Amino acid sequence: RVKFNGLPPDRDYVIAEQRIALKEKKKYILSAKGLTKDLLSSSGVILEIYDPQEEFSYGKTSPLKNLDDWKEYSCKTKNLNEDIIALLRIRWKATTEWEIPVYGTVWIDEIYLTEFDQEENPKDGSEGEEEQEGEDLPFGEPKEKSSEESPST
């Protein structure tokens, strides 16, 4: 859970990050579920696979914003030509529009990074794209989550 209390919306902020090892000639699907409460912005929180050495994003989800129910988010990585240590980052994506400071809460759950061989999955034009739906995800349709921290209870 991330609670915003007056964050200036005009800059990128890394909220959390974790190192992950990615293998050459593999592709990955990054997926998670998200929920927001009282978070109104033209931007939002994204999850991404980022290479700090090359300053390059291999894939990122669309922004989690203005949600009343749990929603699945995912992205496929771009091709990897070598083994790398990347960062799985959760960050606030800056907005170019004038907005009041950001208030509200974001919940992120069930984060998965699923690997598959490039040879087994020919290019389908969706490499590195934001938010994939349905069959490619490692888990089924979203279900309402009952949690003490969740605003739905």
Side-chain angles (χ1 to χ4, degrees):
R1 172 178 76 161
V2 178
K3 187 168 184 142
F4 295 102
N5 193 16
L7 180 77
D10 59 345
R11 293 186 302 196
D12 284 346
Y13 297 94
V14 175
I15 298 165
E17 63 187 14
Q18 179 176 335
R19 289 185 183 157
I20 53 174
L22 302 177
K23 299 176 187 173
E24 177 183 9
K25 296 185 181 175
K26 298 285 183 184
K27 289 179 69 176
Y28 299 86
I29 297 174
L30 171 62
S31 56
K33 292 182 183 180
L35 174 70
T36 65
K37 181 178 181 185
D38 301 328
L39 182 73
L40 301 175
S41 174
S42 63
S43 188
V45 174
I46 64 169
L47 285 81
E48 77 175 330
I49 307 281
Y50 181 77
D51 182 349
Q53 298 292 355
E54 301 294 327
E55 297 182 353
F56 180 76
S57 179
Y58 280 94
K60 59 186 170 189
T61 65
S62 60
L64 285 72
K65 61 180 183 177
N66 311 330
L67 301 171
D68 293 330
D69 201 0
W70 288 94
K71 181 177 176 186
E72 291 182 9
Y73 288 84
S74 71
C75 66
K76 291 181 181 178
T77 62
K78 297 180 180 179
N79 290 329
L80 298 173
N81 297 323
E82 61 185 347
D83 291 355
I84 64 167
I85 300 297
L87 297 173
L88 168 56
R89 300 197 316 183
I90 299 172
R91 70 176 174 92
W92 175 263
K93 184 177 184 206
T95 180
T96 57
E97 300 182 27
W98 183 90
E99 292 186 5
I100 62 170
V102 178
Y103 292 87
T105 307
V106 175
W107 286 265
I108 301 171
D109 200 3
E110 298 184 29
I111 300 172
Y112 293 96
L113 185 63
T114 308
E115 173 187 305
F116 58 91
D117 291 323
Q118 288 181 12
E119 292 80 19
E120 295 173 9
N121 295 288
K123 289 184 180 181
D124 60 4
S126 62
E127 286 178 10
E129 275 188 12
E130 296 180 351
E131 191 180 345
Q132 303 296 315
E133 298 286 336
E135 297 124 30
D136 288 341
L137 298 178
F139 45 82
E141 292 299 315
K143 296 176 183 158
E144 188 171 319
K145 180 176 174 91
S146 60
S147 168
E148 292 178 17
E149 294 181 341
S150 174
S152 62
T153 58

